[in-house]
Amino acid sequence: EAAIDVGTGTGILAIAMAKLGAASVRAIDVDPVAVAVAEENVRQNGVADRVTVRAGDLFAGEAGPFDLLVANILPDVHERLVPEAVPRLRSGGRIVLSGIIEAEAERMARLLFAHGLIELKRLSADGWTALWAVRP
């Protein structure tokens, strides 16, 4: 399974995907400090053979196709991400968006639907929401 973590931060989601079986994970962040931290965390967690960390905005030239895309970023960035994500997802590919305040969840769900994705699950806790959707 090919996966991508957009806005990787510390790399925790990329590391988790590799440890859960993803054969190849791309991790991208605009912040060079975050990239350095993520690279070190990937190395320390023994998944450097499957996780590649890069600096860049959104997909940073990654074409896909991906089976899984995760993005724990702010809703305004999700608005830019989703239209670019759909063509990079395989049919049956999944997308998980988090970092969404509950008040923005419905708007983000409509964004996914507007781009042809089908919402599978919505999880909310402590004022935050994650959306899980699939490309048919």
Side-chain angles (χ1 to χ4, degrees), residues 32-124:
V33 174
V35 169
V37 169
E39 286 173 334
E40 179 61 18
N41 288 338
V42 163
R43 188 189 62 72
Q44 287 185 4
N45 280 275
V47 293
D49 60 326
R50 287 170 283 149
V51 178
T52 303
V53 182
R54 293 183 52 201
D57 188 37
L58 294 183
F59 292 96
E62 296 286 345
F66 297 103
D67 300 291
L68 176 61
L69 181 150
V70 298
N72 183 32
I73 51 182
L74 298 173
D76 63 323
V77 183
H78 286 312
E79 289 177 354
R80 292 186 4 211
L81 173 98
V82 170
E84 291 189 35
V86 173
R88 290 173 169 85
L89 283 175
R90 293 186 199 281
S91 177
R94 299 160 320 263
I95 184 170
V96 179
L97 303 181
S98 58
I100 302 168
I101 58 171
E102 282 185 58
E104 295 288 324
E106 193 56 40
R107 185 169 67 87
M108 292 296 102
R110 285 192 306 271
L111 174 70
L112 292 169
F113 180 77
H115 289 280
L117 299 168
I118 299 168
E119 184 179 335
L120 297 174
K121 193 166 198 162
R122 188 180 303 199
L123 302 170
S124 294

